[in-house]
Amino acid sequence: MGVPQGGPLSPGLANGVLDELDWELDRRGHRFARYADDGNIVVGSERAGVRVRGSVTRFIEDSLRLTVNARKSAVDRPWNRKFLGFTVSRDGGKLKVADPAIDKLKHRIRALTRRTRGRRLSEIVAELREALLGWKAYFGVAEVLSPLRDLDKWIRRKLRCYHWKQWGRAGYRELRRRGVSVREAWHTSKSAHGPWRLSKTPALALALPARYFSNWGLPTVAAG
């Protein structure tokens, strides 16, 4: 009949049933990694990949009486596939966070920093801190850091946008109070552009630098 997806029983049953698959792959001399019902087998060529996929599929379906999801299975280069939220880089095979995992985190951050929430910045940062520390605890082993540094910049820009919206008509005064020149503060506060566009201006970067948010407790997702 099956079990509910995401339930605690599901991975236990998967490991119990697929333990036999692990032994079979090991017996054949394959290099592989498996987590519950998701797994990768590494071979030396596309031709070998096609052959191994066929033989392993037959073993799973004939011996274990399970169905292989053909839509999610493929023979491909490692950097074109993802496994448990990770992939590898093209140059040197370094561990990299897969794009869908970053997109999922961005979706969460957009919800937390939505300008219509009306929460104080300290509350927003506290919620972000909890989400980011949990995410970093899992993905912190990534070796390719450039996408994570870009993500850190994007998060700070979201917070600048949120803060600017909260300032409202006091924007000019807040910019001047934080060291922005009269000219820059005037052009920024009188600009016809929206908060997101203005969040990337030099005035907002000077008024709300990275250390401003780190002092509030905002962690970075890039290592270090």
Side-chain angles (χ1 to χ4, degrees):
M1 297 297 292
V3 295
Q5 186 174 6
L9 186 58
S10 180
L13 289 175
N15 284 329
V17 173
L18 294 176
D19 182 64
E20 190 172 343
L21 173 62
D22 294 344
W23 284 106
E24 178 64 18
L25 294 177
D26 187 65
R27 186 186 66 81
R28 297 184 185 187
H30 291 314
R31 304 177 71 176
F32 68 96
R34 181 182 66 80
Y35 181 85
D37 63 344
D38 193 5
N40 284 349
I41 303 173
V42 183
V43 295
S45 67
E46 181 181 4
R47 181 178 180 181
V50 172
R51 174 177 54 79
V52 169
R53 182 176 64 168
S55 64
V56 171
T57 298
R58 286 191 296 272
F59 174 81
I60 292 173
E61 295 182 342
D62 296 343
S63 300
L64 302 183
R65 298 183 181 182
L66 299 173
T67 301
V68 174
N69 190 330
R71 183 176 60 86
K72 293 184 178 180
S73 301
V75 176
D76 207 344
R77 297 288 189 181
W79 51 81
N80 292 330
R81 306 296 294 174
K82 62 183 180 66
F83 181 57
L84 304 179
F86 289 95
T87 185
V88 294
S89 64
R90 289 175 176 267
D91 51 341
K94 293 183 177 180
L95 199 61
K96 178 183 177 183
V97 181
D99 289 342
I102 293 179
D103 291 340
K104 186 176 180 180
L105 178 62
K106 281 189 169 184
H107 180 76
R108 173 63 174 155
I109 292 170
R110 287 189 184 98
L112 292 176
T113 58
R114 195 172 61 249
R115 297 195 300 269
T116 56
R117 293 189 69 198
R119 308 285 291 276
R120 290 181 298 178
L121 183 67
S122 59
E123 296 174 312
I124 298 296
V125 171
E127 292 176 330
L128 283 174
R129 177 179 174 82
E130 182 178 353
L132 295 178
L133 286 179
W135 195 87
K136 187 175 181 178
Y138 181 80
F139 289 104
V141 296
E143 298 169 295
V144 180
L145 300 182
S146 54
L148 304 186
R149 294 191 184 104
D150 290 340
L151 182 58
D152 282 326
K153 294 177 183 177
W154 181 83
I155 293 170
R156 290 193 293 268
R157 186 180 174 188
K158 292 292 289 183
L159 289 174
R160 290 186 184 109
C161 179
Y162 188 90
H163 220 11
W164 177 254
K165 183 68 174 179
Q166 280 194 326
W167 285 344
R169 293 182 178 180
Y172 174 82
R173 185 170 64 251
E174 293 291 345
L175 290 177
R176 289 290 295 130
R177 191 164 67 88
R178 288 166 168 80
V180 179
S181 68
V182 172
R183 183 175 180 275
E184 284 290 339
W186 176 261
H187 284 304
T188 304
S189 61
K190 298 303 178 181
S191 173
H193 296 306
W196 179 245
R197 177 79 172 268
L198 293 176
S199 64
K200 201 176 182 180
T201 59
L204 266 294
L206 176 62
L208 302 172
R211 66 177 179 276
Y212 176 82
F213 299 110
S214 63
N215 288 340
W216 278 93
L218 182 72
T220 59
V221 294

